[in-house]
Amino acid sequence: MSIHRPSKQFFGLRKPVGRRQRLLSALGIWIVFFGVWVFAAAAGLVNELLVPAPQQVFATTFDLFYGRGFASDVLISISRVLGAFAMACAVAVPLGVMMGSFPAIEAIFAPFVSAWRYLPAPSFIPILLMWFGTGEAPKLALLFIGVIFFLITLVMDHTKHVREELVETALTLGANRGTVVMKVIFPAVLPNIVVAMRQMLAMAWTYLVIAEIVASSTGIGAMMMRARRFLKTDEILSGIIVIGVLGLLFDLLFAALHRWAFPYLRKV
Amino acid sequence: MANGSALEIRNVSKRFDLGKGRSVTAVEGITFNVEQNSIVVLLGPSGCGKSTILRMMAGLETPSAGEIVIGGRTVDGPARDRGMVFQAYTSFDWLSVRKNVEFGMKINGVPAAKRRAQAEHFIKLVGLEKFADVYPSQLSGGMRQRVAIARTLANDPEVLLMDEPFGALDAETRWLMQELMVNVAEQTNTTMVIVTHDLEEAIFLADKIVFLSSHPGRVKEEIRPAFKAGKRIDDKEVVIKLDGYSDLEGHLMHLMREEGRGLE
Ligand SMILES: Nc1ncnc2c1ncn2[C@@H]1O[C@H](COP(=O)(O)OP(=O)(O)O)[C@@H](O)[C@H]1O
Ligand SMILES: [Mg+2]
């Protein structure tokens, strides 16, 4: 006789899902997705030219990297994202922290920053092209504009949420304003800044692709636009997959950075 | 207590501006002294202005009238001579317990060796020596308050200000913390001002109770628990059984009751 255990439901209402079930579920949805794709391609349900089979897309991806120097396009795209993103962070993080710490600084910059947030960054593409020509500058500028104003606002909001008691504790320990900002407010808000950066990096990828599709001869987006001219749907889909995988990798990287840099946030 | 005053509150009032021309008078004409090395408890019903008075002592609020004097100087903003412990947890989560306790000394330029020794001493004093190198998030609420107390004391303030420091703790931990504070006061000779609305806590800790009435807060009565005969006793069970304890508790209860009625 086995001990009677209450049976565990697969669809338990608001019951946490075990590790195994979560893994299987995640695998399952992707297997279904690719299954449908493979089947549709094999059964001739879709136009072969417009929707190549997944195995062909993967073969093309492989070929792009090993036969046709796609890696250099990928590297160019990555360095554009990271370069522009680093510049945006270098401005947005200090400025956001200062705006969140000093209402007087917020009063100066907030009206400016929030106005810019309502301007979609791609609307600057024509003028950026006129100002900067076709080099790296307009792409970096687009990414910079697309990211910085949101990042400033996010960092400022997180900074404002640092608890007043922490600030007042530091003041009554004899800290001056500068010390409070550097030694209390900044370390307190840093984990949230990293989270905000993680969100905004995803946005930077979006603008990168826009910039490369509209005005570039190098990078992943440009490769996809070239492929379109030659009706190479498999290469376009390869580009999409690579962009997706890169986005995922950077997201995981940021998650790992967060875990590594802030061990004190781990649940015991 | 023939000692001089560590802190003098002289005819202090505080109005808060609520905007649109409205304002509220939180406390009015507050006058009392905090004698050197004594524990003064500010007691009164919720909303009577205890926190406001304490925050003005800390320099976190500015009196609308009157002045607060420490060591002959008028208080003007927060400084290390008046350390403050809040009801909410204030541990710096990104620093270990030891680094938390060293924080004040570090920003005030105390040399590393002295810092370490001081931190060691105060960590031991509050009974956290086993937890010196863990992060505050791994500690219970009571332990976190111990960190805050050790951090403030290690910074060597003239006066330790505490705003309902044990209000968020369960009864048993609160009791332990109260006994700890009596011990700490005895061993460090620190002057303390403690805000509470808990009668028991007030009687147990106080060398002097300043009872406040509400709306606006005024000093209703200054009470020295005579039954303790000027001694500090760090065992709550003993204190509760002393002659005179229940009389004082009854008296304070009566005062509280009166204030409660005043609201209706
Ligand atoms: N920053 C503030 N702005 C406006 N009113 C305040 C502020 N701080 C306190 N008050 C008012 O002052 C009175 C006393 O508050 P407080 O000092 O917090 O009382 P207690 O600590 O005794 O509960 C209350 O009526 C409260 O609403
Ligand atoms: Mg209060």
Side-chain angles (χ1 to χ4, degrees):
Chain A
M1 275 282 290
S2 65
I3 313 159
H4 175 76
R5 282 217 221 117
S7 64
K8 235 188 115 195
Q9 291 171 312
F10 191 82
F11 296 106
L13 183 63
R14 298 201 152 184
K15 292 275 176 293
V17 168
R19 204 183 152 76
R20 226 174 78 95
Q21 185 179 343
R22 210 184 355 243
L23 212 70
L24 288 177
S25 304
L27 267 174
I29 187 81
W30 283 105
I31 288 172
V32 168
F33 174 74
F34 280 107
V36 169
W37 187 357
V38 168
F39 175 78
L45 295 176
V46 285
N47 184 333
E48 197 182 336
L49 186 67
L50 296 180
V51 188
Q55 58 271 29
Q56 193 198 329
V57 172
F58 286 119
T60 303
T61 309
F62 194 82
D63 182 50
L64 277 172
F65 273 104
Y66 288 94
R68 289 187 278 154
F70 186 39
S72 72
D73 276 315
V74 172
L75 280 181
I76 285 172
S77 291
I78 291 177
S79 49
R80 278 175 188 153
V81 166
L82 292 187
F85 187 68
M87 286 192 287
C89 289
V91 179
V93 171
L95 184 58
V97 169
M98 294 308 274
M99 287 167 72
S101 305
F102 297 97
I105 297 181
E106 183 192 354
I108 297 169
F109 290 101
F112 185 74
V113 169
S114 27
W116 282 82
R117 277 198 308 151
Y118 294 104
L119 291 169
S123 62
F124 289 92
I125 293 176
I127 194 85
L128 291 175
L129 286 173
M130 288 184 67
W131 285 344
F132 298 116
T134 49
E136 289 305 303
K139 290 136 203 154
L140 295 180
L142 176 70
L143 266 69
F144 186 82
I145 294 174
V147 164
I148 189 163
F149 299 107
F150 284 94
L151 193 54
I152 290 173
T153 311
L154 280 175
V155 171
M156 177 183 75
D157 285 343
H158 285 308
T159 305
K160 282 188 196 167
H161 280 111
V162 171
R163 281 173 36 238
E164 195 57 27
E165 286 96 342
L166 294 189
V167 172
E168 293 183 337
T169 296
L171 288 172
T172 57
L173 287 169
N176 57 30
R177 283 173 301 178
T179 308
V180 172
V181 174
M182 295 307 295
K183 299 284 162 127
V184 177
I185 293 180
F186 183 66
V189 74
L190 194 53
N192 286 329
I193 291 180
V194 172
V195 171
M197 283 167 69
R198 187 175 161 188
Q199 293 161 349
M200 293 320 293
L201 187 64
M203 197 144 148
W205 276 106
T206 310
Y207 288 122
L208 169 88
V209 176
I210 293 173
E212 288 184 346
I213 284 177
V214 175
S216 183
S217 55
T218 51
I220 304 171
M223 182 284 280
M224 289 159 70
M225 285 312 272
R226 264 201 314 276
R228 189 190 72 113
R229 248 184 287 148
F230 301 104
L231 305 178
K232 303 258 192 200
T233 24
D234 52 344
E235 291 185 12
I236 296 178
L237 290 177
S238 291
I240 291 176
I241 288 174
V242 169
I243 289 168
V245 168
L246 284 176
L248 178 69
L249 279 181
F250 276 103
D251 199 55
L252 290 176
L253 217 66
F254 256 97
L257 171 75
H258 199 276
R259 259 197 313 277
W260 170 79
F262 311 116
Y264 56 88
L265 295 178
R266 269 178 228 155
K267 294 272 180 299
V268 207
Chain B
M1 230 147 284
N3 300 319
S5 292
L7 209 58
E8 291 173 29
I9 290 77
R10 296 181 185 160
N11 206 16
V12 165
S13 302
K14 176 69 183 177
R15 294 173 75 83
F16 285 107
D17 196 353
L18 301 176
K20 291 181 186 164
R22 294 184 310 130
S23 69
V24 59
T25 303
V27 297
E28 194 166 69
I30 303 286
T31 299
F32 64 91
N33 286 348
V34 178
E35 290 83 7
Q36 208 93 47
N37 301 342
S38 73
I39 302 180
V40 170
V41 170
L42 294 184
L43 179 66
S46 258
C48 70
K50 306 181 292 293
S51 298
T52 303
I53 296 172
L54 201 72
R55 290 173 60 77
M56 287 192 286
M57 291 173 158
L60 297 170
E61 302 279 3
T62 317
S64 312
E67 61 175 354
I68 293 168
V69 178
I70 180 167
R73 285 170 298 107
T74 301
V75 164
D76 177 23
R80 72 180 292 197
D81 57 0
R82 285 153 286 129
M84 179 120 165
V85 173
F86 297 82
Q87 173 173 359
Y89 302 140
T90 53
S91 30
F92 299 141
D93 289 341
W94 56 94
L95 300 175
S96 68
V97 167
R98 189 189 306 281
K99 291 269 167 60
N100 261 281
V101 175
E102 285 187 26
F103 184 90
M105 296 183 278
K106 187 159 183 187
I107 61 172
N108 287 303
V110 175
K114 175 155 185 233
R115 220 157 65 207
R116 210 157 310 130
Q118 283 277 97
E120 201 70 41
H121 172 74
F122 283 101
I123 287 171
K124 209 168 276 172
L125 185 71
V126 298
L128 284 179
E129 54 271 43
K130 284 205 192 87
F131 301 93
D133 293 303
V134 309
Y135 287 114
S137 57
Q138 292 165 284
L139 301 178
S140 68
M143 286 169 157
R144 282 185 178 212
Q145 281 311 60
R146 287 170 198 250
V147 175
I149 291 162
R151 178 177 59 193
T152 313
L153 290 173
N155 199 37
D156 198 21
E158 301 284 325
V159 184
L160 173 61
L161 307 171
M162 304 211 281
D163 193 353
E164 309 207 19
F166 315 130
L169 305 179
D170 59 77
E172 191 188 331
T173 313
R174 190 157 60 222
W175 181 353
L176 283 173
M177 295 297 289
Q178 290 163 358
E179 296 188 340
L180 173 75
M181 288 324 292
V182 171
N183 273 321
V184 166
E186 277 300 279
Q187 290 179 42
T188 60
N189 274 328
T190 307
T191 309
M192 299 183 189
V193 181
I194 303 173
V195 161
T196 185
H197 60 246
D198 177 344
L199 304 182
E200 245 183 52
E201 181 164 286
I203 301 171
F204 178 67
L205 291 175
D207 297 325
K208 176 167 93 181
I209 297 171
V210 176
F211 192 97
L212 298 164
S213 63
S214 8
H215 302 292
R218 290 198 176 87
V219 177
K220 183 158 181 158
E221 200 173 329
E222 278 192 30
I223 303 152
R224 289 174 195 279
F227 74 95
K228 289 200 242 174
K231 281 193 301 246
R232 290 210 183 116
I233 305 152
D234 69 359
D235 187 332
K236 210 167 171 187
E237 260 181 299
V238 172
V239 172
I240 284 173
K241 285 177 190 145
L242 286 178
D243 276 346
Y245 176 92
S246 49
D247 286 350
L248 180 52
E249 188 175 31
H251 178 59
L252 292 175
M253 233 176 230
H254 178 72
L255 291 177
M256 280 281 190
R257 200 45 74 75
E258 276 183 353
E259 286 311 309
R261 277 209 200 93
L263 288 178
E264 280 156 23

